[in-house]
């Protein structure tokens, strides 16, 4: 069989533990037999990050800027226990944080829907894509405990030394205070990423905040979204038959729960943290959640939303077979290959991505799945597979789809 050719390399970011094992199996079984895979390989495994003093992470992000599309395996974010386990010279930063900062991107998360895994919310028929602003607000806040009576103010000192003050509270006893910020430039990037992704995936965009209570802070988010939409995207949205919709966050929650899904829900940083867990859980499984980082100038990094599945990895090291779900990692590859195909005008590559996703979904719908899905599936006949057997079943289906043409 002729394998599909690629023109531009994909930026491949390898990772850690169980997902690193799956990564290789996915390549060997589901990609290399069908595609002449062309990648620029970066090993973000923790040991190699240590060897390169984390330069490899920066290099991989720069390569993403150059080529435009990356696919990333889950990686360990070191904590004290990992520093000991891997004899690290430093507690290296989260690779995702480093890459996100360099690409100035927004993360979009969407569930993979399959028959037999029903969302807890029965009206949901299509995926809900959650877009989380990943800069500022309470995540970059400064806080203080106020010991007793006194006055708290916000003070802005301009370049010329002049001060603007605003009273926060006149304390008559102990209390707490918090100062947080955002930058217009970051909010503008966020808005552009959301509108561009809406056009890309042909979905409406919803945005919500609490502008009625936060008349300066949240209202600025609302205004920036509206200004950018009107100036840069309104016409394209109209042509594509799409809409942009703003509402209050509490109203948005009520509408989301009653909706059928099928749109992008843009959230401020904290709302996005909370609501992405709610949406992921309500759709059934974190192992079925995809994630893509999109920069305002249209660079894409695809990955799974889950981590390296450490507990399964230790079982694997003991020689036991594990039933780790590879679906989100497979969809990271299909997402990246589809995007590469679209950018390079390679119709065959784009179609292959579709077939790979179809083969994966149909395998689960035929009753073959990993343990995490088997425990929540409503199908009558379910076969629990280990990861290798599950991937082999997908390969068989993929081969059939490929032969059908
Ligand atoms: P995790 O890897 O997401 O796994 C937590 C648990 O969720 C697993 O023990 C497993 O439950 C279940 N699970 C997650 N993905 C699964 C899959 N594909 N198939 C089957 N079950 C799955 O989170 P963690 O164990 O807290 O974190 C491990 C490492 O991942 C950490 O070092 C963390 O820094 C890193 N991490 C990386 C990323 C990223 O690179 N994007 C994201 C999050 C975490 P059971 O044990 O019950 O089977
Ligand atoms: Mg969270």
């Amino acid at each position: 069989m002729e394998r599909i050719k690629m023109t531009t390399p994909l930026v491949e970011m390898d990772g850690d533990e169980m997902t690193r094992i799956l990564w290789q199996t996915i390549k060997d079984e589901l990609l290399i037999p069908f595609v002449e895979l062309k990648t620029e390989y970066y090993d973000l495994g923790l040991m190699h990050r240590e060897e390169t003093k984390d330069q490899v992470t920066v290099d991989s992000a720069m390569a993403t800027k150059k080529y435009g599309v990356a696919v990333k395996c889950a990686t360990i974010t070191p904590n004290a226990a990992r520093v000991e386990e891997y004899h690290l010279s430093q507690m290296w930063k989260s690779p995702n944080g480093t890459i996100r900062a360099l690409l100035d991107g927004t993360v979009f998360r969407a569930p993979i829907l399959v028959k037999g895994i029903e969302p807890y919310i029965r009206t949901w028929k299509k995926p809900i894509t959650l877009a989380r602003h990943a800069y500022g607000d309470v995540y970059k806040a400064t806080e203080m405990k106020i010991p007793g009576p006194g006055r708290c103010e916000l003070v802005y000192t301009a370049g010329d030394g002049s001060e603007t003050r605003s009273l926060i509270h006149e304390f008559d006893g102990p209390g707490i205070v918090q100062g947080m910020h955002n930058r217009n430039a970051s909010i503008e990037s966020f808005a552009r990423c959301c509108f561009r992704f809406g056009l890309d995936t042909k979905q409406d965009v919803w945005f919500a905040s609490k502008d009625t209570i936060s008349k300066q802070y949240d209202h600025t988010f609302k205004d920036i979204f509206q200004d950018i939409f009107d100036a840069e995207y309104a016409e394209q949205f109209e042509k594509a038959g799409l809409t942009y919709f703003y509402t209050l966050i509490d109203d948005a929650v009520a509408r989301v729960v009653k909706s059928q899904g099928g749109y992008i829900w843009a959230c401020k940083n904290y709302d996005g943290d909370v609501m992405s867990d709610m949406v992921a859980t309500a759709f059934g499984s974190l192992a079925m959640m995809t994630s893509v980082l999109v920069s305002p100038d249209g660079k894409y990094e695809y990955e799974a939303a889950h981590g390296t599945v450490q507990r399964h990895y230790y079982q694997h090291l003991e020689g036991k077979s594990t039933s780790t779900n590879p679906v989100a990692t497979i969809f990271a590859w299909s997402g990246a290959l589809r995007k590469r195909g679209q950018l390079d005008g390679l119709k065959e590559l784009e179609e292959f991505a579709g077939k790979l996703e179809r083969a994966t979904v149909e395998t689960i719908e035929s009753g073959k799945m990993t343990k995490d899905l088997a425990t929540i599936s409503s199908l009558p006949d379910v076969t629990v597979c280990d990861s290798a057997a599950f991937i082999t079943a997908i390969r068989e289906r993929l081969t059939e789809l490929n032969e059908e043409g």
Side-chain angles (χ1 to χ4, degrees):
M1 192 194 66
E2 238 345 91
R3 293 192 304 161
I4 299 162
K5 289 194 177 44
M6 296 177 62
T7 45
T8 318
L10 262 186
V11 178
E12 175 183 353
M13 303 169 174
D14 206 344
D16 289 299
E17 301 194 311
M18 204 58 220
T19 40
R20 188 182 179 98
I21 310 282
L22 294 176
W23 192 260
Q24 193 59 48
T25 316
I26 291 167
K27 281 174 66 179
D28 291 343
E29 294 289 322
L30 303 178
L31 303 174
I32 293 168
F34 305 94
V35 180
E36 272 185 33
L37 207 56
K38 196 170 178 176
T39 72
E40 198 165 289
Y41 179 84
Y42 293 86
D43 182 2
L44 303 198
L46 187 51
M47 260 133 43
H48 194 239
R49 277 182 273 151
E50 167 70 22
E51 280 159 24
T52 62
K53 304 275 164 241
D54 211 24
Q55 184 60 37
V56 64
T57 308
V58 174
D59 291 347
S60 73
M62 298 322 264
T64 308
K65 283 192 171 193
K66 177 175 169 194
Y67 293 115
V69 188
V71 55
K72 180 179 171 294
C73 179
T75 47
I76 293 170
T77 297
N79 55 15
R82 300 301 199 158
V83 170
E84 210 165 295
E85 183 184 353
Y86 286 82
H87 308 291
L88 301 181
S89 60
Q90 266 188 55
M91 203 183 285
W92 303 109
K93 282 193 218 148
S94 146
N96 288 52
T98 302
I99 295 164
R100 205 177 298 154
L102 286 167
L103 293 178
D104 184 23
T106 299
V107 175
F108 296 85
R109 291 199 160 172
I112 299 152
L113 300 195
V114 293
K115 288 195 201 87
I117 313 286
E118 320 300 345
Y120 288 95
I121 297 183
R122 56 175 193 276
T123 51
W124 288 359
K125 303 289 178 228
K126 295 182 215 159
I128 294 167
T129 302
L130 208 124
R132 173 180 171 189
H133 186 209
Y135 179 83
D137 298 355
V138 74
Y139 300 84
K140 286 262 185 206
T142 302
E143 306 184 328
M144 212 188 267
K145 285 192 175 180
I146 305 298
R151 188 182 169 79
C152 265
E153 290 177 318
L154 287 177
V155 182
Y156 163 66
T157 312
D160 64 5
S162 62
E163 282 183 358
T164 313
R165 288 168 176 266
S166 177
L167 178 69
I168 298 173
H169 193 65
E170 199 67 69
F171 284 92
D172 58 11
I176 41 180
V177 68
Q178 180 187 63
M180 61 184 193
H181 81 283
N182 223 298
R183 295 181 297 114
N184 285 13
S186 175
I187 303 167
E188 286 161 12
S189 288
F190 176 46
R192 287 196 177 96
C193 289
C194 292
F195 293 134
R196 175 190 277 272
F197 200 68
L199 287 170
D200 243 30
T201 58
K202 302 190 177 52
Q203 297 185 89
D204 293 339
V205 174
W206 296 17
F207 178 53
S209 72
K210 195 70 181 176
D211 63 283
T212 46
I213 299 299
S214 173
K215 290 186 166 58
Q216 312 262 350
Y217 200 101
D218 278 20
H219 214 290
T220 300
F221 276 82
K222 178 184 178 183
D223 290 343
I224 288 178
F225 263 71
Q226 195 63 54
D227 289 350
I228 289 189
F229 180 74
D230 292 343
E232 301 172 27
Y233 293 94
E235 219 170 285
Q236 298 177 69
F237 265 59
E238 167 121 54
K239 264 193 210 137
L242 299 173
T243 54
Y244 165 58
F245 171 62
Y246 176 86
T247 186
L248 284 169
I249 184 74
D250 33 358
D251 179 50
V253 171
R255 284 171 188 265
V256 164
V257 169
K258 288 189 284 186
S259 77
Q260 297 205 334
Y263 47 85
I264 295 164
W265 183 14
C267 285
K268 288 178 61 202
N269 210 348
Y270 174 79
D271 297 338
D273 187 356
V274 176
M275 291 308 163
S276 62
D277 278 8
M278 190 275 281
V279 169
T281 308
F283 269 110
S285 170
L286 185 63
M288 297 291 280
M289 209 61 186
T290 61
S291 184
V292 55
L293 174 73
V294 183
S295 75
D297 56 346
K299 315 290 184 209
Y300 297 78
E301 182 246 302
Y302 292 84
E303 63 176 337
H306 59 77
T308 60
V309 213
Q310 182 182 16
R311 200 182 66 81
H312 295 207
Y313 181 59
Y314 288 150
Q315 289 183 348
H316 168 83
L317 290 182
E318 288 171 22
K320 296 181 184 146
S321 87
T322 73
S323 187
T324 316
N325 189 337
V327 171
T329 305
I330 295 172
F331 272 65
W333 276 100
S334 62
L337 290 171
R338 176 182 295 111
K339 179 54 71 182
R340 198 64 274 166
Q342 286 167 350
L343 294 175
D344 296 346
L346 303 172
K347 200 135 187 60
E348 264 195 305
L349 190 62
E350 225 185 304
E351 282 168 6
F352 172 76
K355 284 179 197 161
L356 177 56
E357 292 177 356
R358 220 182 111 192
T360 306
V361 167
E362 287 179 2
T363 301
I364 300 170
E365 292 179 347
S366 79
K368 291 179 196 148
M369 61 193 81
T370 47
K371 195 170 145 203
D372 57 308
L373 296 184
T375 56
I376 54 171
S377 173
S378 62
L379 294 180
D381 289 308
V382 166
T383 312
V384 179
C385 303
D386 63 17
S387 305
F390 179 60
I391 290 174
T392 304
I394 297 172
R395 178 169 173 172
E396 280 163 13
R397 185 72 195 116
L398 182 58
T399 307
E400 283 169 15
L401 289 177
N402 231 33
E403 279 161 5
E404 283 167 20

